[in-house]
Amino acid sequence: MTREHIQSTIFELLKKTAPETDPHSLRPDENIREALNIDSFDALQFLVALNEKLGIDIPEEDYSKTTTLGSLTDYLEQRSR
Amino acid sequence: MTDFLMPSLGADMEAGTLVQWKKKPGDQLTPGDIIAEVETQKGLIEIEIFEAGILESYLIEEGDKVPVGSPMARLRPEGSSKKTPETHPIQEKSQASKPLAAISEKTPSESSSSQKKTSEEIPRIKISPLARSIAEKNGIDLSSITGSGEGGAIIKADVEKAMVAKAGEPAGKETREAPSTAKTIPQESIRTAVAAAMSRSNREIPHYYLEKRIDMLAAMTWLQEVNRQRKISERLLPVVLFIKAVAKALESSPELNGIWDNGLQIQNQVNIGFVISLRAGGLLVPAIRDADLKSPEEIMAVLNELIPRARALKLRSSELSDSTITITSLGENGADKVFGVIYPPQVAIVGFGSIINEAVVHEGMLAIRPVVHVSLAGDHRATDGLSGSRFLEALNNNLQNPNAL
């Protein structure tokens, strides 16, 4: 799984979660939930959708590694190996 | 025969537009069936029927906009023969919706003293609070409007007509409007609906507030343990424990689970109204029915189904009128505390702030533990602070024993 594929999936699912926002404008170190105004319920649904699309399980103790675009992409890339 | 009436889905609803009939004349109806889709300020709502029978005839057509309480269809109840129509309304299952409708029709002269003050400023004009709010917002001169409501009172439709006229557009369409889809409902109308309900609450309900800090270590540890064993799509959010703990705490404080209609009416069912924020602003408060009888897993399943539907403005009529108490929860990374405004005709709202780490004294030692600040706003006409305090203590006990939830 390439980094590009992971990131385009992230953008696609973020757009679905927060349709009125532009996920592409996120900086790598920006907190995704704060920047796109995503609540706890939608945050969980976003991770569920990532899991379904990429087939990567994200244990609850790793949620803290998924807060920014950079850390989430790194994490998923590492887990997909 | 009975008439099926346009239901009231909140303090703020004055009329609804029939978008589509879901049943045909001659169809057998069973309780819970969706009979029609109606467009309201709160989106496209599926209207349920609560009595068994046969749909005899339509009384309005698709596209018609009619006030709350207007007959929509004629029904023949199960077991009855064709006889003269009664005026008994079918849509009476929801007790909670009745007072909402009744109070929203009040004119200022019939309402509270604070409203009387407003009516003195504009003498002899009878107008519903919602209509007044829209008129003020849009700079509409009330003296130029002829009211079409009860006793000549100005209602929302009159103000909207005046707004159209003011904008220089033809004001030809009276009651028949082209049905639109939920997607075209402006968020502005939901904002207006929230504004009307909350203004009425603050005007009419003497709120009292209590707050308790609750240690969440036991609940969060339990949740982590439970979630570790589950796949991501089956994990629970902390709010599920809040909902269940509130529902259970009401067993010992049933007086907070009720509606105010010239007196407190305690409700047997515990239907938790759960505040859902819409991304574009405004909120909806659908009910999680019988929350006291549901397991945390079942409550999570309801949320998984309900929240996306609410955000798509696709709720059912009973979901908007069945709540007996409301919970508002800010989730993570929000404000530490929230003090709610009661949704009339309910008599209490419970507010959960974000779960945060704080220094607390635990068993005589200072420790850093996750806590949540919980507030209760109660209607002082219905209950006193002692009831509220007992409720918060029971809620605390429930959250210390998550296994038993």
Side-chain angles (χ1 to χ4, degrees), chain B residues 51-62:
Chain B
E51 204 170 291
I54 288 167
L55 177 55
E56 190 81 8
S57 60
Y58 296 149
L59 298 177
I60 63 169
E61 291 172 33
E62 290 175 355

Side-chain angles (χ1 to χ4, degrees), chain A residues 17-21 31 33-34 36-42 44-45 47-48 51-52 57-61 63, chain B residues 223-225 227-228 230-237 277 279-280 300 303-305 307-308 311 330-333:
Chain A
T17 306
E20 78 286 7
T21 64
N31 184 301
R33 284 185 51 185
E34 282 173 18
L36 304 185
N37 194 20
I38 294 173
D39 67 14
S40 323
F41 178 80
D42 277 348
L44 179 59
Q45 295 312 310
L47 294 179
V48 169
N51 168 249
E52 280 169 4
D57 184 40
I58 306 167
E60 199 176 47
E61 55 265 32
Y63 284 1
Chain B
L223 204 58
Q224 258 173 14
E225 202 45 54
N227 281 344
R228 188 169 294 139
R230 294 172 186 229
K231 19 181 227 186
I232 190 163
S233 56
E234 289 168 6
R235 285 179 203 154
L236 305 177
L237 286 168
S277 304
R279 289 197 64 83
M300 189 69 208
L303 290 182
N304 282 336
E305 196 270 330
I307 294 178
R311 293 216 165 118
L330 296 179
E332 298 156 54
N333 307 321

Side-chain angles (χ1 to χ4, degrees), chain B residues 275-355:
Chain B
V275 177
I276 297 174
S277 304
L278 303 177
R279 289 197 64 83
L283 41 89
L284 290 169
V285 193
I288 300 165
R289 289 202 197 91
D290 297 316
D292 54 331
L293 307 177
K294 288 186 162 71
S295 66
E297 288 77 14
E298 287 168 330
I299 293 173
M300 189 69 208
V302 172
L303 290 182
N304 282 336
E305 196 270 330
L306 197 60
I307 294 178
R309 209 149 45 77
R311 293 216 165 118
L313 303 178
K314 287 278 286 179
L315 291 169
R316 290 182 178 180
S317 52
S318 59
E319 287 167 338
L320 286 168
S321 54
D322 270 1
S323 301
T324 54
I325 186 169
T326 299
I327 290 181
T328 179
S329 170
L330 296 179
E332 298 156 54
N333 307 321
D336 297 348
K337 302 172 187 179
V338 55
F339 298 94
V341 179
I342 297 169
Y343 191 72
Q346 293 164 36
V347 294
I349 179 169
V350 187
F352 289 86
S354 296
I355 299 170

Side-chain angles (χ1 to χ4, degrees), chain B residues 73-96:
Chain B
R74 189 144 289 167
L75 313 178
R76 181 148 34 97
E78 205 162 63
S80 77
S81 57
K82 292 191 176 190
K83 278 184 183 166
T84 47
E86 294 167 21
T87 49
H88 169 66
I90 293 283
Q91 191 71 26
E92 289 296 315
K93 180 249 167 192
S94 167
Q95 284 190 303

Side-chain angles (χ1 to χ4, degrees), chain B residues 138-141 144-146 157-173:
Chain B
N138 292 283
I140 300 294
D141 177 13
S144 67
I145 304 177
T146 311
D158 300 325
V159 176
E160 284 174 342
K161 225 190 299 181
M163 281 161 63
V164 172
K166 193 184 171 195
E169 290 167 19
K173 45 180 183 175

Side-chain angles (χ1 to χ4, degrees), chain B residues 78-264:
Chain B
E78 205 162 63
S80 77
S81 57
K82 292 191 176 190
K83 278 184 183 166
T84 47
E86 294 167 21
T87 49
H88 169 66
I90 293 283
Q91 191 71 26
E92 289 296 315
K93 180 249 167 192
S94 167
Q95 284 190 303
S97 66
K98 269 200 301 181
L100 279 176
I103 298 169
S104 68
E105 282 159 12
K106 275 185 187 174
T107 56
S109 60
E110 296 164 340
S111 197
S112 66
S113 57
S114 61
Q115 254 186 294
K116 277 180 190 154
K117 196 176 160 196
T118 323
S119 66
E120 279 161 17
E121 290 158 18
I122 307 166
R124 293 191 305 278
I125 293 179
K126 288 174 90 179
I127 178 166
S128 77
L130 175 60
R132 183 183 294 280
S133 134
I134 297 172
E136 280 171 4
K137 213 159 136 194
N138 292 283
I140 300 294
D141 177 13
L142 295 176
S143 61
S144 67
I145 304 177
T146 311
S148 64
E150 202 180 322
I154 297 171
I155 60 172
K156 182 170 156 258
D158 300 325
V159 176
E160 284 174 342
K161 225 190 299 181
M163 281 161 63
V164 172
K166 193 184 171 195
E169 290 167 19
K173 45 180 183 175
E174 291 270 28
T175 54
R176 188 146 306 188
E177 292 178 359
S180 55
T181 65
K183 289 191 184 73
T184 62
I185 290 174
Q187 294 291 333
E188 183 73 9
S189 78
I190 290 183
R191 189 71 259 163
T192 309
V194 172
M198 294 301 97
S199 302
R200 206 187 101 207
S201 174
N202 254 356
R203 203 166 50 232
E204 294 174 6
I205 302 177
H207 289 61
Y208 68 84
Y209 291 95
L210 301 173
E211 183 197 328
K212 185 161 182 69
R213 182 171 74 170
I214 293 182
D215 190 331
M216 285 295 288
L217 188 62
M220 294 308 278
T221 307
W222 180 85
L223 204 58
Q224 258 173 14
E225 202 45 54
V226 164
N227 281 344
R228 188 169 294 139
Q229 297 157 17
R230 294 172 186 229
K231 19 181 227 186
I232 190 163
S233 56
E234 289 168 6
R235 285 179 203 154
L236 305 177
L237 286 168
V239 71
V240 167
L241 298 184
F242 295 159
I243 293 168
K244 183 65 206 262
V246 164
K248 219 171 156 218
L250 289 169
E251 286 168 12
S252 54
S253 307
E255 64 276 20
L256 293 170
N257 185 59
I259 59 169
W260 182 265
D261 182 18
N262 290 322
L264 174 62

